[in-house]
Structures are given as structure tokens and as C-alpha cells.
Amino acid sequence: MIDAENWFTEVEEKNGAAMSLRLRRRLHAETSAYQRLEVYETDGFGNLLVLDGCIMLTSRDNFIYHEMMVHPALFSHPRPRRVLIIGGGDCGCLREVLRHDSVEHAEQVDIDERVTRLSEQFFPELCESNSDPRAHLHFEDGVRRVEEAAAGSYDVIIIDSTDPVGQAARLFSAPFYRACYQALGDEGVLVAQSESPLYHQQLMASMVGNLNAAGFAAAAPLLFPQCTYPSGWWSATLARRAGAAREFREADAQTIRGTRYYNADIHRAAFATPQFLRAGG
Ligand code: SAM
């Protein structure tokens, strides 16, 4: 929604809250086969990508989300070589995955090619690794890609999807998590964006329940700030086929290059669970 004073506002009806960014101008708008896509230049946050009226990313603060969607999961796997990203059409997660020298094959599967083409045009800094020979971009339904994958195809699966509505709803389901479990190797790790800890506790709890039901030995939320998302506080839920959710290659994590939010201390702290989110909290 854009008002007369040229502010973009995403309204959280259920919580009676909103997030507004002052705009300089609209750069692009179109409706693809899957969603409404808009790109704006803002006063204080660089460019802004909006899908179906929801803020997806800004130039200024997307690094927090992309780093936290990728590095805890990859450092939780003993040697991540084959990574699958479901969604993630803006390519920010792909860029972070390719910072890991152990990665030999990074597949990104977004249902909507238009997201990637607009990101290449308006967020080129997120697409700087797209020409890496290890990167493979596909445009199809992520559910089908996982269901068709051979058992043990991947070491890490990253589910960087829109909210659990429309074409993304099935990406939060128990059958999809079962398919992910099968597509992962014995030490496989899955991470899925899991919305706001303040607004979506039930969803977060149901995701952990569905992941455990799918066979994952451990599942736990990672919490981090994301000021342009609803409530300003976001989460990603990490699950492992083997081992404890909090175990990670700490020494290797301390050597990561180029991050601006993630480090080994942040990794450890992100698993700290506030009392209200604990079972019976
Ligand atoms: N960070 C954002 C968030 O937390 O809402 C997500 C950003 S990313 C752009 C979300 C992507 O999920 C979109 O590009 C959308 O096209 C993709 N997507 C939604 N449903 C999908 C599906 N079933 N298969 C593959 N990609 C899907």
C-alpha cells in the first residue's frame, strides 16, 4: 500500500501493526504467473522488493536474513558439498552458500523466474555468484524437485520461501519434510524460514513437530533481527537427520569470510530460546 506522502506500508492486520518505508520512486511492477512483483527505490533502505504486497528484501538489511538462512546450516554439516535452495529467487542465499569452499554443487529452484530476473536488474549485488560454475538455477515447483530427487541427493536443503500461503503452503507441510528427509544424506541438514517468533509461535511449533514426525533427529529455531519483516524479529528452523541441533563446526565458522552479521558467537546465541518459546513457556 502506498499513501499520499509516498510511503510503502505492509500492514499486519491480525496484530494491528505495520512497517513503512519512505519511497523515492517505483522502479518496476508486474504480475507473473505466480505473484505480483514490485521494486521501489527507498529513501533509507536502498531498493525494496515486494511480492504480493509483502516486503521480501531491501538492499540495506537483507544480509542478516541471507547469512542466517545459510551459515548455521552449512556449519552444522560435517562437509556440505551438495546444497539445494528451494525458493530464494533473489539469489541472496545462493551467494552465501558459495562462500563455502566445500560446496561443489548449489542448486536453486524457484517457481518464479521473474524474481531472479528482477533481482539481477535491481539487486545485482545478490546475484554476483550466479556465474559461479557450481551454481545451477532452475525454475519450477520446489515440492516436485524434492519429490523427484533420488534418496541422499543433498547434504543441505534450504527452504527460503514466501509465507505459508498459496504456492508456498506445501513447503511447510509434513509430507514435504518427509520428502526432504529422504532427499538428504545420512548427516543431512535442513533449514526453513519460519516467520516471526512474536507473531507465529504456533507455526514454529508445528514446523518442529512436522520435522520430527518426518524423521529428523533434532529440530530447533534460530532467532535473529530482521527489521523490515513483520515484528522486526525473524526465525529459521534448523533440523538434522543425525546429531544435536546446536552442534556445529565452530573452528571453521570462525574462519568464514565476507559476512556482516554471522559469526560463531551469533551462531551459538541464535539458538538461545526465550522462555515464552520454550515448551510450556
Ligand atoms: N525472505 C523471504 C521471506 O522470508 O518471506 C523469502 C524470499 S524469496 C524471494 C521467496 C521465494 O519463494 C519467491 O521467489 C517465490 O517465488 C518462491 N516460492 C514460493 N513458493 C514456491 C514453491 N512452491 N517452489 C519454489 N519456489 C517457491
PDB file of all heavy atoms in Angstrom, residues 25-50:
ATOM      1  N   ARG A  25      10.934   6.432  -5.516  1.00  0.00           N
ATOM      2  CA  ARG A  25      10.198   6.173  -6.775  1.00  0.00           C
ATOM      3  C   ARG A  25       9.968   4.671  -6.961  1.00  0.00           C
ATOM      4  O   ARG A  25      10.659   3.873  -6.332  1.00  0.00           O
ATOM      5  CB  ARG A  25      11.001   6.717  -7.971  1.00  0.00           C
ATOM      6  CG  ARG A  25      12.378   6.104  -8.127  1.00  0.00           C
ATOM      7  CD  ARG A  25      13.235   6.843  -9.153  1.00  0.00           C
ATOM      8  NE  ARG A  25      14.615   6.334  -9.118  1.00  0.00           N
ATOM      9  CZ  ARG A  25      15.223   5.801 -10.184  1.00  0.00           C
ATOM     10  NH1 ARG A  25      14.581   5.757 -11.359  1.00  0.00           N
ATOM     11  NH2 ARG A  25      16.469   5.345 -10.083  1.00  0.00           N
ATOM     12  N   ARG A  26       8.985   4.373  -7.820  1.00  0.00           N
ATOM     13  CA  ARG A  26       8.761   2.964  -8.164  1.00  0.00           C
ATOM     14  C   ARG A  26       9.646   2.619  -9.358  1.00  0.00           C
ATOM     15  O   ARG A  26       9.680   3.352 -10.346  1.00  0.00           O
ATOM     16  CB  ARG A  26       7.296   2.713  -8.536  1.00  0.00           C
ATOM     17  CG  ARG A  26       7.023   1.224  -8.777  1.00  0.00           C
ATOM     18  CD  ARG A  26       5.545   0.919  -8.846  1.00  0.00           C
ATOM     19  NE  ARG A  26       5.020   1.233 -10.169  1.00  0.00           N
ATOM     20  CZ  ARG A  26       3.747   0.973 -10.504  1.00  0.00           C
ATOM     21  NH1 ARG A  26       2.914   0.493  -9.598  1.00  0.00           N
ATOM     22  NH2 ARG A  26       3.300   1.238 -11.713  1.00  0.00           N
ATOM     23  N   LEU A  27      10.355   1.509  -9.248  1.00  0.00           N
ATOM     24  CA  LEU A  27      11.285   1.134 -10.320  1.00  0.00           C
ATOM     25  C   LEU A  27      10.654   0.127 -11.284  1.00  0.00           C
ATOM     26  O   LEU A  27      10.999   0.092 -12.463  1.00  0.00           O
ATOM     27  CB  LEU A  27      12.547   0.524  -9.696  1.00  0.00           C
ATOM     28  CG  LEU A  27      13.384   1.472  -8.829  1.00  0.00           C
ATOM     29  CD1 LEU A  27      14.468   0.702  -8.076  1.00  0.00           C
ATOM     30  CD2 LEU A  27      14.020   2.577  -9.684  1.00  0.00           C
ATOM     31  N   HIS A  28       9.732  -0.721 -10.765  1.00  0.00           N
ATOM     32  CA  HIS A  28       9.160  -1.764 -11.635  1.00  0.00           C
ATOM     33  C   HIS A  28       7.931  -2.360 -10.959  1.00  0.00           C
ATOM     34  O   HIS A  28       7.847  -2.410  -9.734  1.00  0.00           O
ATOM     35  CB  HIS A  28      10.206  -2.865 -11.857  1.00  0.00           C
ATOM     36  CG  HIS A  28       9.743  -3.934 -12.811  1.00  0.00           C
ATOM     37  ND1 HIS A  28       9.917  -3.832 -14.182  1.00  0.00           N
ATOM     38  CD2 HIS A  28       9.094  -5.110 -12.612  1.00  0.00           C
ATOM     39  CE1 HIS A  28       9.409  -4.905 -14.768  1.00  0.00           C
ATOM     40  NE2 HIS A  28       8.900  -5.700 -13.835  1.00  0.00           N
ATOM     41  N   ALA A  29       6.982  -2.786 -11.793  1.00  0.00           N
ATOM     42  CA  ALA A  29       5.835  -3.541 -11.258  1.00  0.00           C
ATOM     43  C   ALA A  29       5.327  -4.453 -12.362  1.00  0.00           C
ATOM     44  O   ALA A  29       5.299  -4.063 -13.538  1.00  0.00           O
ATOM     45  CB  ALA A  29       4.735  -2.607 -10.797  1.00  0.00           C
ATOM     46  N   GLU A  30       4.978  -5.686 -11.988  1.00  0.00           N
ATOM     47  CA  GLU A  30       4.408  -6.628 -12.949  1.00  0.00           C
ATOM     48  C   GLU A  30       3.686  -7.729 -12.194  1.00  0.00           C
ATOM     49  O   GLU A  30       3.884  -7.896 -10.994  1.00  0.00           O
ATOM     50  CB  GLU A  30       5.509  -7.249 -13.827  1.00  0.00           C
ATOM     51  CG  GLU A  30       6.425  -8.217 -13.083  1.00  0.00           C
ATOM     52  CD  GLU A  30       7.455  -8.887 -13.995  1.00  0.00           C
ATOM     53  OE1 GLU A  30       8.472  -8.252 -14.322  1.00  0.00           O
ATOM     54  OE2 GLU A  30       7.239 -10.067 -14.341  1.00  0.00           O
ATOM     55  N   THR A  31       2.855  -8.460 -12.884  1.00  0.00           N
ATOM     56  CA  THR A  31       2.210  -9.640 -12.302  1.00  0.00           C
ATOM     57  C   THR A  31       2.652 -10.851 -13.109  1.00  0.00           C
ATOM     58  O   THR A  31       2.422 -10.906 -14.324  1.00  0.00           O
ATOM     59  CB  THR A  31       0.680  -9.499 -12.312  1.00  0.00           C
ATOM     60  OG1 THR A  31       0.317  -8.326 -11.546  1.00  0.00           O
ATOM     61  CG2 THR A  31       0.031 -10.734 -11.681  1.00  0.00           C
ATOM     62  N   SER A  32       3.323 -11.797 -12.453  1.00  0.00           N
ATOM     63  CA  SER A  32       3.783 -13.001 -13.143  1.00  0.00           C
ATOM     64  C   SER A  32       2.703 -14.069 -13.040  1.00  0.00           C
ATOM     65  O   SER A  32       1.616 -13.825 -12.512  1.00  0.00           O
ATOM     66  CB  SER A  32       5.072 -13.514 -12.473  1.00  0.00           C
ATOM     67  OG  SER A  32       4.751 -14.107 -11.204  1.00  0.00           O
ATOM     68  N   ALA A  33       3.001 -15.249 -13.486  1.00  0.00           N
ATOM     69  CA  ALA A  33       2.031 -16.351 -13.382  1.00  0.00           C
ATOM     70  C   ALA A  33       1.819 -16.742 -11.922  1.00  0.00           C
ATOM     71  O   ALA A  33       0.881 -17.477 -11.595  1.00  0.00           O
ATOM     72  CB  ALA A  33       2.561 -17.554 -14.162  1.00  0.00           C
ATOM     73  N   TYR A  34       2.672 -16.234 -11.023  1.00  0.00           N
ATOM     74  CA  TYR A  34       2.606 -16.706  -9.628  1.00  0.00           C
ATOM     75  C   TYR A  34       2.310 -15.615  -8.613  1.00  0.00           C
ATOM     76  O   TYR A  34       1.809 -15.892  -7.522  1.00  0.00           O
ATOM     77  CB  TYR A  34       3.937 -17.393  -9.260  1.00  0.00           C
ATOM     78  CG  TYR A  34       4.237 -18.574 -10.141  1.00  0.00           C
ATOM     79  CD1 TYR A  34       5.089 -18.458 -11.240  1.00  0.00           C
ATOM     80  CD2 TYR A  34       3.593 -19.800  -9.923  1.00  0.00           C
ATOM     81  CE1 TYR A  34       5.329 -19.535 -12.074  1.00  0.00           C
ATOM     82  CE2 TYR A  34       3.829 -20.888 -10.764  1.00  0.00           C
ATOM     83  CZ  TYR A  34       4.690 -20.739 -11.829  1.00  0.00           C
ATOM     84  OH  TYR A  34       4.915 -21.812 -12.672  1.00  0.00           O
ATOM     85  N   GLN A  35       2.676 -14.342  -8.929  1.00  0.00           N
ATOM     86  CA  GLN A  35       2.546 -13.335  -7.865  1.00  0.00           C
ATOM     87  C   GLN A  35       2.717 -11.943  -8.472  1.00  0.00           C
ATOM     88  O   GLN A  35       3.157 -11.794  -9.616  1.00  0.00           O
ATOM     89  CB  GLN A  35       3.621 -13.551  -6.795  1.00  0.00           C
ATOM     90  CG  GLN A  35       5.038 -13.676  -7.327  1.00  0.00           C
ATOM     91  CD  GLN A  35       5.936 -14.574  -6.478  1.00  0.00           C
ATOM     92  OE1 GLN A  35       5.725 -14.788  -5.273  1.00  0.00           O
ATOM     93  NE2 GLN A  35       6.948 -15.134  -7.115  1.00  0.00           N
ATOM     94  N   ARG A  36       2.420 -10.959  -7.685  1.00  0.00           N
ATOM     95  CA  ARG A  36       2.639  -9.541  -8.014  1.00  0.00           C
ATOM     96  C   ARG A  36       4.044  -9.185  -7.564  1.00  0.00           C
ATOM     97  O   ARG A  36       4.406  -9.438  -6.396  1.00  0.00           O
ATOM     98  CB  ARG A  36       1.594  -8.695  -7.277  1.00  0.00           C
ATOM     99  CG  ARG A  36       1.748  -7.196  -7.473  1.00  0.00           C
ATOM    100  CD  ARG A  36       1.041  -6.739  -8.720  1.00  0.00           C
ATOM    101  NE  ARG A  36       1.107  -5.263  -8.868  1.00  0.00           N
ATOM    102  CZ  ARG A  36       1.288  -4.651 -10.059  1.00  0.00           C
ATOM    103  NH1 ARG A  36       1.451  -5.380 -11.147  1.00  0.00           N
ATOM    104  NH2 ARG A  36       1.327  -3.337 -10.142  1.00  0.00           N
ATOM    105  N   LEU A  37       4.820  -8.594  -8.447  1.00  0.00           N
ATOM    106  CA  LEU A  37       6.190  -8.222  -8.114  1.00  0.00           C
ATOM    107  C   LEU A  37       6.344  -6.713  -8.261  1.00  0.00           C
ATOM    108  O   LEU A  37       5.925  -6.131  -9.272  1.00  0.00           O
ATOM    109  CB  LEU A  37       7.185  -8.912  -9.060  1.00  0.00           C
ATOM    110  CG  LEU A  37       7.188 -10.441  -9.127  1.00  0.00           C
ATOM    111  CD1 LEU A  37       6.225 -10.952 -10.202  1.00  0.00           C
ATOM    112  CD2 LEU A  37       8.581 -10.974  -9.399  1.00  0.00           C
ATOM    113  N   GLU A  38       6.907  -6.060  -7.227  1.00  0.00           N
ATOM    114  CA  GLU A  38       7.146  -4.608  -7.276  1.00  0.00           C
ATOM    115  C   GLU A  38       8.549  -4.332  -6.746  1.00  0.00           C
ATOM    116  O   GLU A  38       9.027  -4.999  -5.822  1.00  0.00           O
ATOM    117  CB  GLU A  38       6.132  -3.878  -6.381  1.00  0.00           C
ATOM    118  CG  GLU A  38       4.676  -4.033  -6.796  1.00  0.00           C
ATOM    119  CD  GLU A  38       3.731  -3.613  -5.666  1.00  0.00           C
ATOM    120  OE1 GLU A  38       3.435  -4.446  -4.788  1.00  0.00           O
ATOM    121  OE2 GLU A  38       3.318  -2.437  -5.652  1.00  0.00           O
ATOM    122  N   VAL A  39       9.185  -3.347  -7.360  1.00  0.00           N
ATOM    123  CA  VAL A  39      10.505  -2.907  -6.888  1.00  0.00           C
ATOM    124  C   VAL A  39      10.460  -1.382  -6.745  1.00  0.00           C
ATOM    125  O   VAL A  39       9.954  -0.682  -7.627  1.00  0.00           O
ATOM    126  CB  VAL A  39      11.634  -3.298  -7.857  1.00  0.00           C
ATOM    127  CG1 VAL A  39      13.010  -2.955  -7.264  1.00  0.00           C
ATOM    128  CG2 VAL A  39      11.582  -4.799  -8.184  1.00  0.00           C
ATOM    129  N   TYR A  40      10.942  -0.898  -5.597  1.00  0.00           N
ATOM    130  CA  TYR A  40      10.958   0.538  -5.319  1.00  0.00           C
ATOM    131  C   TYR A  40      12.359   0.967  -4.920  1.00  0.00           C
ATOM    132  O   TYR A  40      13.146   0.160  -4.403  1.00  0.00           O
ATOM    133  CB  TYR A  40      10.013   0.864  -4.153  1.00  0.00           C
ATOM    134  CG  TYR A  40       8.564   0.535  -4.412  1.00  0.00           C
ATOM    135  CD1 TYR A  40       8.018  -0.688  -4.004  1.00  0.00           C
ATOM    136  CD2 TYR A  40       7.724   1.427  -5.074  1.00  0.00           C
ATOM    137  CE1 TYR A  40       6.689  -1.010  -4.253  1.00  0.00           C
ATOM    138  CE2 TYR A  40       6.390   1.123  -5.320  1.00  0.00           C
ATOM    139  CZ  TYR A  40       5.888  -0.103  -4.911  1.00  0.00           C
ATOM    140  OH  TYR A  40       4.567  -0.405  -5.155  1.00  0.00           O
ATOM    141  N   GLU A  41      12.652   2.242  -5.145  1.00  0.00           N
ATOM    142  CA  GLU A  41      13.834   2.858  -4.531  1.00  0.00           C
ATOM    143  C   GLU A  41      13.336   3.587  -3.297  1.00  0.00           C
ATOM    144  O   GLU A  41      12.353   4.347  -3.374  1.00  0.00           O
ATOM    145  CB  GLU A  41      14.499   3.832  -5.505  1.00  0.00           C
ATOM    146  CG  GLU A  41      15.746   4.499  -4.929  1.00  0.00           C
ATOM    147  CD  GLU A  41      16.322   5.584  -5.838  1.00  0.00           C
ATOM    148  OE1 GLU A  41      15.828   5.727  -6.976  1.00  0.00           O
ATOM    149  OE2 GLU A  41      17.249   6.287  -5.388  1.00  0.00           O
ATOM    150  N   THR A  42      13.982   3.328  -2.156  1.00  0.00           N
ATOM    151  CA  THR A  42      13.534   3.968  -0.916  1.00  0.00           C
ATOM    152  C   THR A  42      14.518   5.060  -0.497  1.00  0.00           C
ATOM    153  O   THR A  42      15.648   5.121  -0.998  1.00  0.00           O
ATOM    154  CB  THR A  42      13.453   2.943   0.255  1.00  0.00           C
ATOM    155  OG1 THR A  42      14.801   2.597   0.646  1.00  0.00           O
ATOM    156  CG2 THR A  42      12.687   1.702  -0.164  1.00  0.00           C
ATOM    157  N   ASP A  43      14.096   5.879   0.465  1.00  0.00           N
ATOM    158  CA  ASP A  43      14.972   6.931   0.987  1.00  0.00           C
ATOM    159  C   ASP A  43      16.136   6.357   1.787  1.00  0.00           C
ATOM    160  O   ASP A  43      17.287   6.743   1.644  1.00  0.00           O
ATOM    161  CB  ASP A  43      14.169   7.854   1.924  1.00  0.00           C
ATOM    162  CG  ASP A  43      13.737   9.106   1.191  1.00  0.00           C
ATOM    163  OD1 ASP A  43      14.090   9.256   0.002  1.00  0.00           O
ATOM    164  OD2 ASP A  43      13.054   9.947   1.821  1.00  0.00           O
ATOM    165  N   GLY A  44      15.797   5.377   2.666  1.00  0.00           N
ATOM    166  CA  GLY A  44      16.806   4.968   3.645  1.00  0.00           C
ATOM    167  C   GLY A  44      17.253   3.524   3.563  1.00  0.00           C
ATOM    168  O   GLY A  44      18.152   3.106   4.284  1.00  0.00           O
ATOM    169  N   PHE A  45      16.627   2.704   2.690  1.00  0.00           N
ATOM    170  CA  PHE A  45      16.947   1.266   2.698  1.00  0.00           C
ATOM    171  C   PHE A  45      17.360   0.746   1.328  1.00  0.00           C
ATOM    172  O   PHE A  45      17.289  -0.450   1.073  1.00  0.00           O
ATOM    173  CB  PHE A  45      15.734   0.468   3.228  1.00  0.00           C
ATOM    174  CG  PHE A  45      15.661   0.435   4.738  1.00  0.00           C
ATOM    175  CD1 PHE A  45      15.324   1.576   5.445  1.00  0.00           C
ATOM    176  CD2 PHE A  45      15.965  -0.711   5.449  1.00  0.00           C
ATOM    177  CE1 PHE A  45      15.277   1.572   6.835  1.00  0.00           C
ATOM    178  CE2 PHE A  45      15.922  -0.737   6.835  1.00  0.00           C
ATOM    179  CZ  PHE A  45      15.577   0.405   7.530  1.00  0.00           C
ATOM    180  N   GLY A  46      17.768   1.678   0.434  1.00  0.00           N
ATOM    181  CA  GLY A  46      18.152   1.216  -0.899  1.00  0.00           C
ATOM    182  C   GLY A  46      16.928   0.726  -1.667  1.00  0.00           C
ATOM    183  O   GLY A  46      15.821   1.242  -1.483  1.00  0.00           O
ATOM    184  N   ASN A  47      17.104  -0.321  -2.466  1.00  0.00           N
ATOM    185  CA  ASN A  47      15.971  -0.847  -3.231  1.00  0.00           C
ATOM    186  C   ASN A  47      15.160  -1.808  -2.365  1.00  0.00           C
ATOM    187  O   ASN A  47      15.693  -2.446  -1.447  1.00  0.00           O
ATOM    188  CB  ASN A  47      16.462  -1.542  -4.502  1.00  0.00           C
ATOM    189  CG  ASN A  47      16.913  -0.524  -5.555  1.00  0.00           C
ATOM    190  OD1 ASN A  47      16.713   0.683  -5.387  1.00  0.00           O
ATOM    191  ND2 ASN A  47      17.515  -1.005  -6.634  1.00  0.00           N
ATOM    192  N   LEU A  48      13.884  -1.930  -2.708  1.00  0.00           N
ATOM    193  CA  LEU A  48      12.932  -2.741  -1.947  1.00  0.00           C
ATOM    194  C   LEU A  48      12.214  -3.689  -2.912  1.00  0.00           C
ATOM    195  O   LEU A  48      11.698  -3.235  -3.948  1.00  0.00           O
ATOM    196  CB  LEU A  48      11.912  -1.800  -1.288  1.00  0.00           C
ATOM    197  CG  LEU A  48      10.578  -2.388  -0.803  1.00  0.00           C
ATOM    198  CD1 LEU A  48      10.811  -3.360   0.366  1.00  0.00           C
ATOM    199  CD2 LEU A  48       9.622  -1.262  -0.394  1.00  0.00           C
ATOM    200  N   LEU A  49      12.201  -4.995  -2.592  1.00  0.00           N
ATOM    201  CA  LEU A  49      11.455  -5.984  -3.388  1.00  0.00           C
ATOM    202  C   LEU A  49      10.206  -6.377  -2.610  1.00  0.00           C
ATOM    203  O   LEU A  49      10.299  -6.758  -1.434  1.00  0.00           O
ATOM    204  CB  LEU A  49      12.309  -7.236  -3.662  1.00  0.00           C
ATOM    205  CG  LEU A  49      11.566  -8.413  -4.322  1.00  0.00           C
ATOM    206  CD1 LEU A  49      11.102  -8.056  -5.741  1.00  0.00           C
ATOM    207  CD2 LEU A  49      12.447  -9.675  -4.362  1.00  0.00           C
ATOM    208  N   VAL A  50       9.052  -6.285  -3.264  1.00  0.00           N
ATOM    209  CA  VAL A  50       7.779  -6.626  -2.642  1.00  0.00           C
ATOM    210  C   VAL A  50       7.104  -7.708  -3.497  1.00  0.00           C
ATOM    211  O   VAL A  50       7.007  -7.560  -4.720  1.00  0.00           O
ATOM    212  CB  VAL A  50       6.865  -5.377  -2.560  1.00  0.00           C
ATOM    213  CG1 VAL A  50       5.479  -5.737  -2.028  1.00  0.00           C
ATOM    214  CG2 VAL A  50       7.508  -4.296  -1.685  1.00  0.00           C
TER     215      VAL A  50
END
